[in-house]
Amino acid sequence: MNATHSAPRPATLRSMALPLLKRRALLLAGVVLLIPVSAAAAMLIPYLTKVAIDSVIVPAAAAHDLAPYADRLYMLVGIAMGV
């Protein structure tokens, strides 16, 4: 064996993953930016439920009449269904 030739170095995870990540950098950036959007959308349904209860259902129950509050309730339910 010659002293000038050394054994090949094993591939590391970084050396294998870096070329793949470079090719998909834009896609990876998009995913990273959409994570907070996904988290906000997941928190929107409980918030809309709170708003519906506090601003529509409680006043309607106190007044014993849902009719004046029906439009707002339908709007909040529609938004929640869209999320």
Side-chain angles (χ1 to χ4, degrees), residues 3 13 16 24 31 35 42 45 51 54 61 63 69 71-72 76 78 82:
L13 180 62
M16 292 186 310
R24 293 173 177 85
V31 167
I35 289 173
I45 302 244
V51 170
D54 292 344
Y69 303 98
D71 290 338
R72 188 160 184 198
L76 290 170

Side-chain angles (χ1 to χ4, degrees), residues 14-73:
R14 182 182 297 162
S15 68
M16 292 186 310
L18 206 54
L20 295 173
L21 293 176
K22 282 183 181 178
R23 281 186 276 171
R24 293 173 177 85
L26 187 60
L27 181 64
L28 184 63
V31 167
V32 168
L33 290 175
L34 285 177
I35 289 173
V37 173
S38 173
M43 292 187 304
L44 190 59
I45 302 244
Y47 175 74
L48 289 174
T49 303
K50 175 202 171 295
V51 170
I53 291 171
D54 292 344
S55 68
V56 177
I57 296 173
V58 171
H64 300 292
D65 187 17
L66 182 62
Y69 303 98
D71 290 338
R72 188 160 184 198
L73 181 61

